[in-house]
Amino acid sequence: MLEAARRLVVPSARSDVPPFMVMDVMAAAARIEAAGGRVIHMEVGQPAAPAPSTAIAAARAALTSGRLGYTETLGIPSLRARIARHYAEKYGVPVDPARVVVTTGSSAGFILAFLTLFEPGDRVAVAVPGYPPYRHILSALGCEPVAIETREATRWAITPEMLLAVHRRTPLKGVLVASPANPTGTMMTAEALRDLVAAAEGEGIRFISDEIYHGLDYAFAAETAARFSESVVVLNSMSKYFCMTGWRVGWMVVPETLVRPIDRLQGNLAISVPTLSQIAAEAAFDGRPEMEGVKHGYEENRRILLEGLPKVGLDKFLPVDGAFYLYADVSRFSSDSFDFAKRMLEETHVAVTPGVDFDPVNGGHFIRFSYAGSAAEMHEGVERIGQWLHKR
Ligand SMILES: Cc1ncc(COP(=O)(O)O)c(C=O)c1O
């Protein structure tokens, strides 16, 4: 019976996407904790703080007020208008609420963006190191992710020259960038973003900008790609700045021509985004002062790592511009970051993410620190790592 089912139900080739290796690290951390050990978590890419109290209060009120039905497929109109206003307030960029789509986290936004922009077989450039689901979602949808290896000389970003060189060899249909980026925490300057948008659109390459870490910028202000063109697709989310990962609300700003196709797709795929979460998201925009306090905490954590890590021998890392990540070069100690992270966890109980998850080529030389935790954890993490590296 089981054998027959196995023969019949063979998973599709496109569902065969790689898992996150960090899951192995997290499982090992959980085992240590179950045995009574105390793990310093510097691997998790999510805020430790709760959602803004304005969001929680609005959700509570909505829960007691009764029925939570479906909403409009593109999102509650007042939330779409609030998001549009956010562009005027934060960037001075006017955005028509009609071009705003509320999504189930930015993760669902990627699926909608790729489905409406690309056909199967289309080639889409992504930066490496980069967030793995970009590549995996594209593959699952039958598109071809084209990894562009970035380097220090270009501030770890795709440049117009790099993009056009790849495009001339075999044409690209799209390019996706993130600034601030995961895992590197690096940012593109406004000029670099403007020039890349112009270069891409000049060649008919569709531009997707993942702006999920906006608001968490320390070196200079992050710029939105929406400033430079109404043809770009911008993705953002309540997950990071607003500390609302589990609420699963994101949004897109899309070209006017994509609104109706996305409406049809999202209507079929999801009907609408969870109503309670949308209500909370709208109220979260009033909680910005509280979130600025959380951001100051990250700034302090960043300072602790920038000062502490070089003292313990980890003195090579990428510019720590934004998000809550620091991408450190550990090639002095190992060329197998998975093994390095595993041993660090076993021997010091500090969990970090190996770079191989984000960069199959050079990731063996890097580990990613997340500084979304507390200052005390940062101090203790650095101290434990220092003692460990000293003994090696
Ligand atoms: C760069 C980047 N983009 C998108 C996401 C997806 O987040 P969400 O679906 O919670 O909006 C993440 C999550 O870690 C991320 O790091």
Side-chain angles (χ1 to χ4, degrees), residues 377-389:
E377 284 171 317
M378 299 302 121
H379 281 301
E380 191 170 345
V382 171
E383 198 185 312
R384 288 191 197 182
I385 293 168
Q387 285 166 1
W388 181 63
L389 290 176

Side-chain angles (χ1 to χ4, degrees), residues 115-390:
L115 280 172
T116 48
L117 288 172
F118 307 125
E119 302 293 351
D122 280 352
R123 287 162 41 86
V124 182
V126 293
V128 169
Y131 181 58
Y134 302 147
R135 287 178 270 131
H136 302 164
I137 299 171
L138 282 166
S139 305
L141 295 177
C143 300
E144 187 188 334
V146 179
I148 299 188
E149 282 282 331
T150 58
R151 291 275 174 270
E152 190 163 3
T154 66
R155 213 184 168 77
W156 305 88
I158 298 175
T159 61
E161 295 71 35
M162 289 156 84
L163 185 76
L164 297 184
V166 172
H167 182 60
R168 293 207 174 107
R169 279 200 297 277
T170 318
L172 292 165
K173 200 61 178 288
V175 58
L176 189 162
V177 301
S179 169
N182 178 10
T184 57
T186 53
M187 285 169 57
M188 296 173 80
T189 62
E191 296 72 36
L193 186 62
R194 180 199 60 203
D195 294 350
L196 192 62
V197 170
E201 295 198 344
E203 294 288 326
I205 300 170
R206 282 104 190 251
F207 197 92
I208 304 169
S209 181
D210 179 358
E211 303 184 354
I212 183 172
Y213 290 102
H214 274 216
L216 303 178
D217 40 12
Y218 317 105
F220 51 92
E223 183 56 276
T224 175
R227 176 182 302 288
F228 305 121
S229 164
E230 291 204 349
S231 304
V232 299
V233 170
V234 170
L235 291 115
N236 206 323
S237 171
M238 303 304 292
S239 289
K240 309 293 170 154
Y241 177 80
F242 289 102
C243 301
M244 293 177 71
T245 46
W247 296 74
R248 309 307 301 131
V249 185
W251 74 82
M252 309 163 82
V253 177
V254 301
E256 191 251 317
T257 47
L258 291 194
V259 173
R260 187 61 191 131
I262 290 178
D263 191 10
R264 290 194 302 257
L265 270 172
Q266 178 144 278
N268 279 278
L269 291 172
I271 302 184
S272 63
V273 173
T275 307
L276 187 63
S277 297
Q278 290 192 64
I279 292 167
E282 187 175 339
F285 282 96
D286 296 330
R288 293 187 69 93
E290 196 182 336
M291 294 299 103
E292 284 299 300
V294 176
K295 177 180 176 179
H296 291 320
Y298 302 145
E299 269 168 326
E300 174 61 5
N301 293 349
R302 173 178 178 267
R303 191 191 60 73
I304 295 166
L305 294 189
L306 286 180
E307 278 176 21
L309 289 177
K311 287 188 193 146
V312 302
L314 290 175
D315 53 359
K316 271 177 80 182
F317 34 76
L318 274 50
V320 193
D321 295 331
F324 32 59
Y325 302 122
L326 182 149
Y327 203 54
D329 184 334
V330 293
S331 52
R332 245 180 80 190
F333 303 99
S334 170
S335 55
D336 178 351
S337 60
F338 183 69
D339 175 67
F340 185 79
K342 195 163 151 272
R343 278 188 294 122
M344 183 191 285
L345 176 62
E346 280 163 4
E347 294 165 27
T348 71
H349 293 184
V350 176
V352 296
T353 309
V356 278
D357 260 346
F358 309 102
D359 180 352
V361 180
N362 294 314
H365 295 147
F366 291 89
I367 56 172
R368 186 194 75 175
F369 287 92
S370 163
Y371 51 90
S374 69
E377 284 171 317
M378 299 302 121
H379 281 301
E380 191 170 345
V382 171
E383 198 185 312
R384 288 191 197 182
I385 293 168
Q387 285 166 1
W388 181 63
L389 290 176
H390 190 69

Side-chain angles (χ1 to χ4, degrees), residues 39-91:
V39 175
I40 304 287
H41 288 280
M42 298 173 94
E43 86 284 27
V44 282
Q46 66 173 339
S53 44
T54 51
I56 294 170
R60 261 207 195 102
L63 262 184
T64 49
S65 73
R67 187 168 169 270
L68 289 166
Y70 296 129
T71 71
E72 288 82 343
T73 293
L74 294 174
I76 296 176
S78 57
L79 172 58
R80 294 172 70 200
R82 184 65 192 85
I83 292 168
R85 178 147 72 86
H86 172 71
Y87 283 85
E89 286 171 0
K90 184 170 166 61
Y91 308 99

